[in-house]
Amino acid sequence: MYLITGGSAVLLQTRNIDEFFVNTEDCQRITQKFHQQLKKSQIKKGDVLIARSGSFGKASIYLDSEVVNSADIIIVESNKNRVNPFYLVGFINSKFGTSQLFRFASGGLQGHVNLTILENLLIPTLKSDFQDFLELLIKYSYNILKDSKKFYQQAEDLLLSELGLKNWQTTEETFAVKSFAESFLSSGRFDAEYYQPKQQKVMAIIRQSGLCISNVVSLAKRKFQPEEQGTFNYIEIGNLRGEGFANSEVVAMEEAPSRAQWIVKTNDVITSTVRPIRRLSALIETEQSNYICSSGFAVLKPTKIEPEVLLVYLRSPIVCEILDLHTTASMYPAISTEDLLNIPITLPQESTRQKITEKVRASRKAREQSKQLLEIAKTGVERAIETDEATATIWINQQLEALGVKLT
C-alpha cells in the first residue's frame, strides 16, 4: 500500500498493519511514476486492511487519504448496509476473528492469509445501533491517537528550535574537499558521506556545548540470565512503535533467544544500534521495569538529562542522520556503542526541557488512553457476541465512565 506525500509515495508493508489503525512509522518510498502504474489497487477511506503475513492476524481501518495497496495487504470493502467497517475491524481483531484466521491459515508458524480464508470468515450480524456505537468509540480513540502524535511533534519542534535546527536549511554546497590529514588522520573516516557540508554543519551546531551523550547518560549493562522455568517479557527491535513506545512479547525461559541480553529499568531509554536512521528508540515505562531487551539495543540510563528529552533527541530525524553516518557494514549497518556515546549533544535550557518533558508525557498519556479505548471496543464486540448488544453496551459505558470519557 502506498500513501501519497508530495512528489513521492510511501510504501506501507505488512509490518505497518497494527490492531485497528495503520502504523505509518518506518516506511519505504517509491516514485510517483510507479505509484501511477498501480491505480487499479487504490483503496478508499474506511476500507479494512489485513496483512497477508508478517503482522498476521491484525486488521486496520484506513482513515486518511487515498492509498495504493501492495500484494502483501488485502483490502476489504464492507457492505455498509449490513456490516459497519468499524465493527468489522473490531471483530477481526477480537478473539473470534483472530481464532478463525489462525485456524485456517496456511504457511505453518508464520501464517498466511488468503482470500479463501476471508470468504469463509463467519461474522455475526449485530444490531446496527451497536455497530454505530462502536464506530463512535473507535473514531474517538483515533482522534486521541492523533493528539498523542501532535504532542510528540510539539516536543520535537521545541527541541529543534532550541538547537537552531528547526526548518534548518542545508547549505548549497554539495561536496567538500579534505586533505588526508583533515579527514582520515583526524576522524578515521574515508567515506565521502561523512564529510558532506550538511552533516558537518549540523555536527558543528550540536557540538557547541562541548558535551557528548556519555556526559549525560550511563550505559546500563544489566546482564540477563535465563532461568530454567517461567517466562519473561521480551522487547525486540521490531516491537518499537511511533513516538518512542516499546511493545513486548512473552517468551518462555527455555526458548530465550541468544540476543535477549539486557535488563531494562523504569526511565531507561533504549536505542537501536542497528540502522539508527529508522528512529528506533523508546522510553521504558514503570510497568516495563525488569523486562528484557535485545542485544541490538544500547540501554541508556539518563543522569544529567530528562529521559523524555533524551528520547526526543535520539529520535529526531536530523540526529538519526548523524548516527547513521557512524554505522559500519553496508548489509547490516550498525553504530558501535562507543561511537553512540561519543555523539555530541547540546542541552536546551531547563525551562525548555521542562516543556519538552510535559509534551512527551501528554503524548504518552493520550496514546495509552487510545489503547485502552480500543481494548474496550474489542472486548465489547466479544461480549455482544457472547451475550447480547444491550449487555455489551452497558459494560462499555461503565468502562468509559471509569476512564472519565464521554463520547461525542
Side-chain angles (χ1 to χ4, degrees):
M1 181 172 55
Y2 305 92
L3 173 63
I4 304 310
T5 54
S8 64
V10 177
L11 169 64
L12 297 181
Q13 299 167 295
T14 56
R15 66 183 180 214
N16 299 113
I17 302 300
D18 280 347
E19 279 194 342
F20 287 94
F21 306 129
V22 174
N23 166 33
T24 55
E25 290 283 322
D26 190 25
C27 301
Q28 302 293 321
R29 289 183 176 274
I30 60 169
T31 64
Q32 271 288 349
K33 180 179 179 180
F34 186 44
H35 163 67
Q36 293 299 326
Q37 294 174 351
L38 300 172
K39 280 189 174 181
K40 292 183 179 180
S41 298
Q42 290 184 347
I43 67 169
K44 304 182 298 294
K45 182 177 181 179
D47 284 344
V48 175
L49 313 176
I50 303 173
R52 290 182 184 270
S53 58
S55 298
F56 177 72
K58 296 179 182 178
S60 301
I61 185 166
Y62 191 73
L63 297 176
D64 292 325
S65 57
E66 279 197 341
V67 295
V68 181
N69 91 303
S70 73
D72 292 329
I73 298 173
I74 298 173
I75 302 171
V76 179
E77 183 178 357
S78 68
N79 182 344
K80 296 180 177 61
N81 292 326
R82 299 185 61 189
V83 180
N84 186 310
F86 290 87
Y87 162 59
L88 178 60
V89 75
F91 172 77
I92 295 175
N93 286 312
S94 75
K95 63 183 180 182
F96 297 112
T98 55
S99 63
Q100 291 187 71
L101 291 180
F102 278 101
R103 180 182 177 186
F104 297 110
S106 59
L109 292 176
Q110 293 297 321
H112 187 84
V113 179
N114 56 50
L115 294 177
T116 303
I117 293 175
L118 295 181
E119 290 172 355
N120 295 322
L121 195 67
L122 299 177
I123 305 173
T125 303
L126 301 184
K127 293 179 179 178
S128 60
D129 57 347
F130 181 78
Q131 294 189 37
D132 293 342
F133 182 46
L134 283 175
E135 177 178 349
L136 192 63
L137 175 56
I138 293 171
K139 282 183 174 178
Y140 190 89
S141 170
Y142 182 69
N143 288 332
I144 293 177
L145 183 61
K146 289 199 296 184
D147 287 341
S148 172
K149 295 179 179 180
K150 179 185 69 177
F151 292 142
Y152 184 87
Q153 187 60 55
Q154 289 171 348
E156 187 174 285
D157 289 344
L158 281 168
L159 176 66
L160 295 179
S161 293
E162 183 80 4
L163 299 181
L165 293 173
K166 186 166 189 298
N167 300 322
W168 186 78
Q169 297 296 318
T170 183
T171 176
E172 293 181 0
E173 300 173 274
T174 58
F175 66 92
V177 179
K178 297 286 184 181
S179 67
F180 183 74
E182 293 173 321
S183 55
F184 184 77
L185 291 184
S186 63
S187 65
R189 301 290 296 264
F190 256 141
D191 49 311
E193 292 81 5
Y194 184 80
Y195 300 102
Q196 287 183 1
K198 171 188 173 181
Q199 317 295 1
Q200 292 299 312
K201 291 195 174 184
V202 171
M203 284 194 282
I205 291 172
I206 60 179
R207 279 196 192 109
Q208 292 175 359
S209 67
L211 299 174
C212 57
I213 291 177
S214 63
N215 297 127
V216 297
V217 308
S218 61
L219 184 66
K221 289 190 174 183
R222 313 178 192 100
K223 188 72 173 177
F224 169 62
Q225 295 294 339
E227 299 176 3
E228 293 184 1
Q229 296 180 338
T231 61
F232 64 95
N233 288 282
Y234 181 50
I235 301 172
E236 179 60 278
I237 291 176
N239 293 131
L240 267 60
R241 287 296 181 263
E243 289 78 60
F245 291 86
N247 294 329
S248 63
E249 54 192 71
V250 178
V251 178
M253 288 287 183
E254 63 268 22
E255 297 176 1
S258 59
R259 60 185 179 275
Q261 281 196 11
W262 307 122
I263 300 172
V264 298
K265 299 288 186 180
T266 303
N267 286 332
D268 281 348
V269 175
I270 59 175
T271 187
S272 173
T273 56
V274 180
R275 295 186 178 90
I277 196 68
R278 294 172 61 189
R279 306 178 67 195
L280 296 179
S281 297
L283 175 60
I284 300 301
E285 304 282 359
T286 301
E287 62 271 16
Q288 295 176 316
S289 189
N290 293 318
Y291 280 19
I292 310 304
C293 77
S294 165
S295 57
F297 291 110
V299 182
L300 307 178
K301 180 181 178 182
T303 55
K304 297 180 181 179
I305 185 174
E306 295 80 359
E308 293 84 0
V309 178
L310 177 63
L311 173 73
V312 176
Y313 184 81
L314 290 173
R315 292 193 75 254
S316 60
I318 203 159
V319 171
C320 288
E321 288 185 30
I322 301 301
L323 295 174
D324 191 58
L325 281 178
H326 291 78
T327 59
T328 57
S330 58
M331 293 297 293
Y332 199 65
I335 183 172
S336 69
T337 303
E338 181 181 0
D339 283 343
L340 172 65
L341 293 175
N342 284 328
I343 295 296
I345 184 171
T346 293
L347 298 182
Q349 294 182 2
E350 185 176 352
S351 59
T352 303
R353 299 205 307 273
Q354 183 60 38
K355 291 177 183 177
I356 292 171
T357 299
E358 291 171 357
K359 291 293 184 182
V360 172
R361 289 178 180 175
S363 170
R364 300 178 82 80
K365 182 179 179 181
R367 193 178 185 94
E368 180 58 31
Q369 186 178 56
S370 174
K371 183 178 178 181
Q372 290 174 325
L373 294 175
L374 293 178
E375 193 63 33
I376 290 171
K378 184 167 63 175
T379 305
V381 169
E382 295 168 355
R383 285 176 174 258
I385 294 171
E386 292 170 333
T387 56
D388 55 68
E389 293 92 335
T391 302
T393 300
I394 292 172
W395 179 84
I396 291 174
N397 283 324
Q398 290 173 340
Q399 303 306 306
L400 296 179
E401 184 178 357
L403 292 176
V405 172
K406 293 184 179 180
L407 299 183
T408 56

